């Protein structure tokens, strides 16, 4: 009897082991299939399966497009991992670094006198300082960056700058002091030239837009159109309100008719057969006239997904707090410039606040900036005297083709003292501007209060130039 029971148990155990192996095999095949498909599939949510760690603030919008960073190098021969990443960095950032006159370009280190520095820190390779998928090393500015990178080359700075004696090795990038790539608002002469400025300038101004001068199609503007000139097909349900909206815009004034946006171009910019009609206007249609604006929009967080061929960003994708009701709004041109109205006043503030719900944004309405904007909108103040969200985050810049709106809302936030030269100095002194931008509480309350502490960089630059002038005078007196 015992032997019979043992025989049954052995048979059951063998069958149970077989079932286990089958189940285990199916699980492995399923997992392998999932990851294999995720590897080969086009950019989509399934790609998150291959993310080795959280991406940084600037890249997480395109993290589903692995090839945006990991595509093969364009160089000759077999590319290394570093080559691939360096190419990826340059594809997006090389032109931007040229625009800000990169103070540490790779060519600077081709000088033989700097060869020994490269043995310590390979400053020609972006990955020496910036890595991805390492959240434990990501600083509040959204970069993965070692805190001591300046020290490797400038550890003897106090010998030539006594004012730097005793400063911490990781304090170089303190707001208002130094930025590795972009020192347009921080270099010594600029600081010295703006020393002793008052906190509030006597004359404040914002550049006036020059939309016509910045158009990429020189054939515009054309003769003005009226309501009766609308050329939409009879099959399109165009309401009276919609047509009135269009007729009141600068588009109608400049001769832009319905078909110029809805039927003249396709997604790839090619002519549509038979003048086909599209209810949804593509970004390429906007680009026909507003190339600079679209290009800069695609460099920023709002449009970078579209530039990579991904679906448009929505507030639900954001890491900053957003209003729940706007979670699924798609960040295209029409997200801020509502179709047929293209109201730039709405786009300047209300469009931002309908999505953003962080402390900085929510505090805006209680600031003197908001009051100045409201006064301009009601006619109580002069045109271009108010300060909207766009005034600071989408500034008007004087370019080769006139004044244009910089739609890359990140361009003056990396770091934020870049904003001083492009924005703050229109109304404020440099020391006040840098102090405000360096004060976390001031940033949080949307600059509703003066900065709690004043930045020393302007004073230090002034004293440096004064000491040099004093030495020159001393040498002149001695030689005389």
């Amino acid at each position: 009897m015992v032997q019979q029971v043992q025989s049954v148990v052995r048979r059951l155990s063998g069958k149970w082991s077989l079932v286990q192996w089958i189940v285990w095999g199916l699980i492995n095949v399923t997992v392998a299939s999932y990851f294999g498909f995720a590897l080969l599939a086009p950019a989509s949510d399934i790609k998150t399966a291959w993310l080795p760690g959280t991406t940084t603030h600037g890249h997480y919008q395109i993290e589903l497009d692995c090839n945006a960073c990991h595509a093969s190098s364009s160089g000759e021969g077999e590319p290394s991992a570093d080559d691939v990443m360096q190419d990826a960095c340059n594809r997006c950032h090389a032109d931007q670094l040229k625009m800000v006159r990169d103070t540490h370009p790779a060519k600077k280190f081709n000088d033989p006198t700097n060869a020994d520095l490269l043995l310590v820190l390979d400053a020609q390779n972006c990955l020496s300082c910036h890595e991805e998928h390492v959240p434990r090393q990501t600083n509040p500015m959204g970069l993965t960056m070692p805190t001591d990178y300046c020290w490797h080359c400038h550890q003897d700075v106090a010998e030539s700058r006594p004012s730097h004696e005793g400063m911490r090795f990781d304090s170089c990038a303190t707001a208002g002091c130094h930025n590795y790539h972009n020192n347009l608002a921080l270099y010594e002469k600029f600081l010295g030239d703006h020393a002793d400025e008052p906190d509030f300038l006597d004359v404040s101004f914002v550049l006036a837009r020059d939309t016509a001068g910045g158009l990429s199609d020189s054939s515009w503007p054309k003769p003005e159109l009226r309501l009766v000139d609308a050329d939409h097909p009879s099959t399109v349900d165009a309401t009276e309100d919609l047509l009135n909206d269009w007729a009141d815009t600068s588009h109608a004034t400049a001769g832009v008719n319905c078909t110029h946006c809805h039927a003249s171009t396709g997604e790839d910019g090619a002519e549509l057969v038979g003048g086909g009609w599209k209810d949804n206007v593509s970004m390429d249609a906007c680009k026909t006239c507003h190339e600079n604006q679209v290009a800069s929009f695609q460099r920023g967080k709002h449009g970078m997904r579209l530039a990579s061929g991904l679906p448009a960003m929505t507030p639900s994708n954001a890491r900053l707090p957003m209003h729940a009701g706007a979670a699924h709004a798609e960040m295209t041109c029409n997200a801020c410039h509502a179709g047929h109205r293209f109201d730039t006043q709405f786009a300047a503030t209300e469009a931002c606040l309908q999505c953003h719900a962080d402390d900085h944004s929510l505090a805006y309405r209680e600031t003197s900036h908001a009051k100045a904007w409201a006064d301009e909108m009601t006619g109580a103040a002069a045109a271009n005297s108010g300060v909207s969200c766009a005034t600071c985050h989408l500034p008007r810049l004087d370019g080769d083709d006139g004044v244009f709106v910089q739609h890359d809302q990140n361009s003056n936030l990396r770091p934020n003292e870049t904003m001083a030269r492009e924005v703050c100095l229109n109304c404020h002194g440099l020391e006040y501007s840098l102090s405000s931008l360096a004060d976390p509480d001031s940033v949080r309350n949307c600059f509703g209060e003066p900065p709690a502490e004043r930045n020393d960089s302007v004073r230090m630059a002034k004293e440096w130039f004064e000491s040099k002038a004093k030495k020159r005078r001393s040498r002149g007196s001695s030689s005389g």
Side-chain angles (χ1 to χ4, degrees):
M1 183 65 180
V2 173
Q3 290 178 344
Q4 291 176 335
V5 171
Q6 289 176 337
S7 176
V8 170
V9 169
R10 281 195 299 271
R11 286 198 300 273
L12 289 175
S13 297
K15 290 180 180 180
W16 178 244
S17 297
L18 179 60
V19 171
Q20 284 182 312
W21 277 109
I22 292 174
V23 171
W24 182 249
L26 289 174
I27 291 174
N28 277 277
V29 169
T30 302
V31 171
S33 300
Y34 175 80
F35 279 93
F37 178 73
L39 181 64
L40 300 175
S44 61
D45 288 342
I46 197 173
K47 289 288 188 183
T48 57
W50 282 96
L51 288 176
T54 305
T55 46
T56 55
H57 303 357
H59 291 155
Y60 80 97
Q61 291 292 356
I62 57 172
E63 66 184 13
L64 302 182
D65 181 15
C66 304
N67 285 336
C69 294
H70 297 283
S72 298
S73 169
S74 60
E76 298 179 359
E78 189 68 23
S80 67
D82 283 356
D83 290 335
V84 170
M85 299 307 298
Q86 188 74 4
D87 265 15
C89 298
N90 285 330
R91 281 198 298 271
C92 290
H93 300 292
D95 289 340
Q96 291 176 304
L97 292 176
K98 289 178 182 177
M99 286 190 290
V100 301
R101 302 174 194 171
D102 186 6
T103 52
H104 289 82
K107 64 181 181 182
K108 183 175 185 176
F109 299 93
N110 292 333
D111 187 332
T113 60
N114 292 325
D116 59 325
L117 299 179
L118 294 178
L119 298 177
V120 180
L121 184 76
D122 185 3
Q124 292 180 313
N125 193 317
C126 302
L127 296 186
S128 295
C129 292
H130 306 298
E131 294 185 66
E132 194 55 85
H133 306 299
V134 282
R136 66 185 181 279
Q137 295 181 18
T138 304
N139 64 27
M141 200 170 69
L143 296 173
T144 48
M145 188 170 64
T147 58
D148 62 346
Y149 67 96
C150 296
W151 177 86
H152 291 290
C153 297
H154 301 286
Q155 53 192 281
D156 57 352
V157 65
E159 295 177 10
S160 58
R161 294 287 195 277
S163 59
H164 287 57
E165 184 69 42
M167 289 188 176
R168 288 177 52 87
F169 71 91
D170 58 355
S171 65
C172 306
T174 299
C177 291
H178 303 285
N179 177 256
Y180 185 88
H181 292 295
N182 181 0
N183 279 293
L184 286 181
L186 301 175
Y187 66 93
E188 285 177 324
K189 187 177 186 306
F190 188 77
L191 296 175
D193 288 346
H194 289 271
D196 299 323
E197 289 179 331
D199 292 351
F200 296 85
L201 303 182
D202 294 334
V203 178
S204 302
F205 70 95
V206 176
L207 291 172
R209 289 197 314 274
D210 180 19
T211 304
L215 295 177
S216 48
D217 186 343
S218 60
S219 66
W220 300 95
K222 300 180 186 295
E224 182 177 354
L225 299 173
R226 299 168 299 168
L227 190 62
V228 295
D229 297 318
D231 65 351
H232 61 87
S234 58
T235 54
V236 173
D237 183 19
T239 65
E240 183 178 352
D241 287 343
L242 184 151
L243 291 172
N244 282 326
D245 283 345
W246 163 78
D248 288 338
T249 65
S250 56
H251 273 180
T253 303
V256 181
N257 217 323
C258 307
T259 53
H260 286 125
C261 297
H262 286 280
S264 61
T265 58
E267 294 295 335
D268 59 355
E271 289 292 328
L272 291 173
V273 178
W277 180 272
K278 284 182 176 291
D279 288 336
N280 295 321
V281 176
S282 73
M283 191 163 56
D284 281 335
C286 303
K287 186 177 179 179
T288 303
C289 296
H290 304 289
E291 186 173 1
N292 285 338
Q293 289 85 344
V294 170
S296 60
F297 171 75
Q298 290 181 319
R299 288 194 295 267
K301 287 185 180 178
H302 287 168
M304 63 192 302
R305 286 172 62 95
L306 292 171
S308 293
L310 293 166
M313 174 197 172
T314 66
S316 63
N317 301 131
R319 287 177 175 174
L320 285 175
M322 297 284 166
H323 291 295
H328 302 296
E330 293 189 346
M331 295 297 102
T332 63
C333 300
N334 281 340
C336 299
H337 302 283
H340 304 102
R341 291 188 66 88
F342 308 107
D343 186 345
T344 54
Q345 293 181 1
F346 173 84
T349 294
E350 298 304 323
C352 307
L353 298 181
Q354 70 183 354
C355 293
H356 287 268
D358 56 286
D359 291 342
H360 176 85
S361 301
L362 295 177
Y364 167 78
R365 295 191 190 278
E366 305 301 320
T367 65
S368 57
H369 287 165
K371 183 181 184 307
W373 176 249
D375 288 345
E376 180 184 340
M377 293 301 96
T378 58
N384 303 313
S385 63
V387 182
S388 66
C389 302
T391 303
C392 300
H393 297 294
L394 284 80
R396 300 171 188 175
L397 305 178
D398 196 358
D400 295 336
D401 299 319
V403 177
F404 74 100
V405 177
Q406 167 64 279
H407 279 68
D408 176 3
Q409 81 286 3
N410 301 319
S411 66
N412 58 21
L413 292 176
R414 300 189 305 257
N416 71 357
E417 58 259 26
T418 310
M419 190 181 294
R421 182 162 184 162
E422 293 183 346
V423 176
C424 306
L425 292 188
N426 292 335
C427 304
H428 300 283
L430 181 59
E431 182 188 35
Y432 182 87
S433 302
L434 293 177
S435 299
S436 298
L437 293 167
D439 184 352
D441 290 332
S442 184
V443 174
R444 191 176 302 110
N445 65 38
C446 202
F447 310 106
E449 300 291 338
E453 298 182 5
R454 304 306 288 251
N455 192 288
D456 285 335
S457 57
V458 176
R459 176 188 59 78
M460 291 171 66
K462 177 186 176 183
E463 292 177 351
W464 168 250
F465 286 114
E466 287 177 344
S467 67
K468 290 177 68 175
K470 184 177 180 180
K471 289 179 180 178
R472 284 196 301 269
R473 288 194 299 268
S474 177
R475 287 196 298 270
S477 300
S478 299
S479 61

